Every structure is written in structure tokens, then in C-alpha cells.
Amino acid sequence: MSNLKRIREEKNITQAKLSEISGVNLQMIQKYEMGVKDINKSQGLTLYKLSQALECSIEDLLNK
């Protein structure tokens, strides 16, 4: 499971709600969670928006 999905589920936020709150495209969130796109290679602004919406650090979102 991706860190993004784990954190999102811990906060009881749907993918659609995360998209709405963060301004990040829903399909992009789905691709990050499924591992189709590597979140470690995403733009800094995307990581920033997701971290702000989920109230976590950017480092928490990265897959180590």
C-alpha cells in the first residue's frame, strides 16, 4: 500500500474529497495510489498540495 493511500484512509478521506481539497487531479491521485505513477517523481507543488490537504509532511508521502 502506498503511503498516500495509507494516510488518506487513516484520515477517512475519499480520493474524490482529497482531490477537491488539494486541487490535485483525481486520476493522478488514483495513479499514485495504484503505483502506476511514482509519487517520488511528482512535482513539488503536487506533493505540497497533498501534504497540506492531509496535514502531513511531504516526506510522509514519499515511498522509501
Side-chain angles (χ1 to χ4, degrees):
M1 178 184 300
S2 72
N3 290 343
L4 174 60
K5 183 174 184 176
R6 180 182 50 76
I7 294 167
R8 179 182 61 75
E9 288 181 346
E10 285 174 0
K11 306 226 180 229
N12 292 315
I13 298 173
T14 64
Q15 289 177 335
K17 187 66 176 175
L18 178 56
S19 176
E20 180 185 319
I21 295 168
S22 67
V24 175
N25 183 284
L26 175 59
Q27 288 80 16
M28 190 67 68
I29 291 170
Q30 291 169 336
K31 288 177 181 179
Y32 287 141
E33 288 192 1
M34 292 186 300
V36 174
K37 286 194 69 77
D38 186 355
I39 196 165
N40 295 346
K41 296 180 180 175
S42 63
Q43 293 184 353
L45 182 57
T46 300
L47 290 169
Y48 176 77
K49 288 178 176 181
L50 290 170
S51 69
Q52 291 297 297
L54 291 170
E55 299 176 336
C56 67
S57 72
I58 289 173
E59 290 82 11
D60 291 336
L61 296 174
L62 298 176
N63 297 321
K64 298 177 172 72

